[in-house]
């Protein structure tokens, strides 16, 4: 009599003999099919280290988990003891703790602890200007950024730009005298710090314009010249002969053409020896001047 051959395989179903089945033994006989299926299941359970005692214990634990009303060992959640027997409230979540929970982030209208932004108090109840109204800055673009206006002398609304109007008033122009005021016009201008009593730029009024100028100087000279055909005429550097103002009867060196006292012109632009223009200016670059609203 031989033993059944067992295979480690989980059989999904066990065959049931039918009354019409023939009586047939042997390795592949129909009488041994259900027995072989059960033997395969048993070997599979053994190979996967499952036994009756472990299965029973796990079943008991599962039963207890479904009916437990508390944890066997209590734990803490957010610092609050929790064993599963009652609901808990966490500080700063659904009861006052490290934040004001009278509202939530979607409906809060102010900060619980006000802060400062760039030195300006901020609690969230109103907009602030971290850069004060009236500040002037230069930008490397041709349009004013949000929160700024071009400093182009334009007349703007006193109500729409109330903060700016409160800061500079009508120093740069009264506008229409009622509803508007003028911005400073910084187009094409160099800035000079207000003297404010120092004395370098005395009697200067704040916000006033000042025209270009060159520090006063004079230069005087006379010279005696020979006629141009003898090539004694100086035409170099910042000097050039302009016209004959007096002609003599003889030449100092006894040349027959005579002599003359001439009128000369002296200046940096004579003979193109220096860059000249209709104004005095340093080397510079053009950027956009804007004022904070």
């Amino acid at each position: 009599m031989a033993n059944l051959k067992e295979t480690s395989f989980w059989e999904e179903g066990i065959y049931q003999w039918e009354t019409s089945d023939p009586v047939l033994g042997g390795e592949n006989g129909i009488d041994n099919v259900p027995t072989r299926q059960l033997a395969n299941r048993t070997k599979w359970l053994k190979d996967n280290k499952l036994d009756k005692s472990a299965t029973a214990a796990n079943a008991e634990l599962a039963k207890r988990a479904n009916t437990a009303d508390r944890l066997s060992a209590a734990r803490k959640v957010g610092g609050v003891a929790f064993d599963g027997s009652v609901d808990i409230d966490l500080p700063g979540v659904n009861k006052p703790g490290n934040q004001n929970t009278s509202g939530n982030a979607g409906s809060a209208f102010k900060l619980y602890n006000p802060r400062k932004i760039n030195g300006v108090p901020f609690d969230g109840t109103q907009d602030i200007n971290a850069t004060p109204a009236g500040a002037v800055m230069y930008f490397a673009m041709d349009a004013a950024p949000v929160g700024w206006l071009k400093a182009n002398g334009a007349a703007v609304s006193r109500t729409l730009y109330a903060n700016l109007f409160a800061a500079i008033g009508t120093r740069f122009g009264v506008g229409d005298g009622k509803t508007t005021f003028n911005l400073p016009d910084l187009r094409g201008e160099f800035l000079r710090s207000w003297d404010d009593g120092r004395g370098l730029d005395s009697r200067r009024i704040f916000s006033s314009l000042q025209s270009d100028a060159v520090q006063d100087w004079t230069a005087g000279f006379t010279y005696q010249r020979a006629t141009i055909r003898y090539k004694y005429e100086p035409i170099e550097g910042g000097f050039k002969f302009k016209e004959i103002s007096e002609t003599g009867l003889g030449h100092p060196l006894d040349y027959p053409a005579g002599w003359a006292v001439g009128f000369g012109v002296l200046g940096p632009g004579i003979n193109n020896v220096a860059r000249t223009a209709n104004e005095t200016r340093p080397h510079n670059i053009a950027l956009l001047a804007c004022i904070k609203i």
Side-chain angles (χ1 to χ4, degrees), residues 215-283:
Q215 190 171 17
D216 188 29
W217 63 277
T218 58
F221 65 93
T222 59
Y223 70 96
Q224 183 173 308
R225 59 179 290 278
T227 55
I228 295 177
R229 67 177 180 171
Y230 286 102
K231 302 185 184 301
Y232 295 120
E233 176 63 34
I235 57 173
E236 297 178 354
F239 173 82
K240 184 177 182 180
F241 174 77
K242 184 176 182 183
E243 63 184 14
I244 297 175
S245 59
E246 183 179 351
T247 303
L249 300 177
H251 194 278
L253 299 180
D254 295 324
Y255 289 111
W259 59 274
V261 174
F263 173 71
V265 179
L266 181 67
I270 303 302
N271 300 318
N272 297 317
V273 296
R275 291 183 297 274
T276 59
N278 60 356
E279 61 180 359
T280 302
R281 62 174 182 258
H283 198 281

Side-chain angles (χ1 to χ4, degrees), residues 7 37 46 63 105 122 191 230 249:
T7 302
Q37 290 174 329
K46 288 180 178 180
K63 180 179 179 181
F122 178 72
L191 296 186
Y230 286 102
L249 300 177

Side-chain angles (χ1 to χ4, degrees), residues 7-131:
T7 302
S8 182
F9 176 74
W10 180 263
E11 300 279 356
E12 293 298 329
I14 304 300
Y15 182 76
Q16 174 182 283
W17 286 327
E18 300 294 337
T19 57
S20 59
D21 287 337
V23 177
L24 181 62
E27 180 180 352
N28 296 316
I30 195 170
D31 292 346
N32 290 322
V33 170
T35 307
R36 185 175 63 253
Q37 290 174 329
L38 291 173
N40 290 343
R41 280 188 178 186
T42 302
K43 183 170 177 55
W44 182 88
L45 290 172
K46 288 180 178 180
D47 290 346
N48 286 277
K49 301 187 183 303
L50 298 176
D51 55 38
K52 182 178 180 181
S53 60
T55 303
N58 289 337
E60 180 62 23
L61 288 175
K63 180 179 179 181
R64 291 182 182 180
N66 289 331
T67 59
D69 59 0
R70 69 182 59 215
L71 298 175
S72 60
R75 296 290 184 263
K76 287 186 177 181
V77 179
V80 179
F82 178 71
D83 66 0
S85 61
V86 294
D87 296 334
I88 61 172
D89 292 321
L90 297 179
V93 178
N94 56 353
K95 80 171 187 177
N98 56 3
Q99 62 182 352
N100 187 340
T101 57
S102 57
N104 54 48
S107 62
F109 65 92
K110 66 185 302 182
L111 297 176
Y112 184 70
N113 294 313
R115 294 290 184 260
K116 288 185 177 181
I117 300 177
N118 225 23
V120 180
F122 178 72
D123 65 1
T125 58
Q126 59 183 354
D127 297 334
I128 64 169
N129 274 329
T131 301

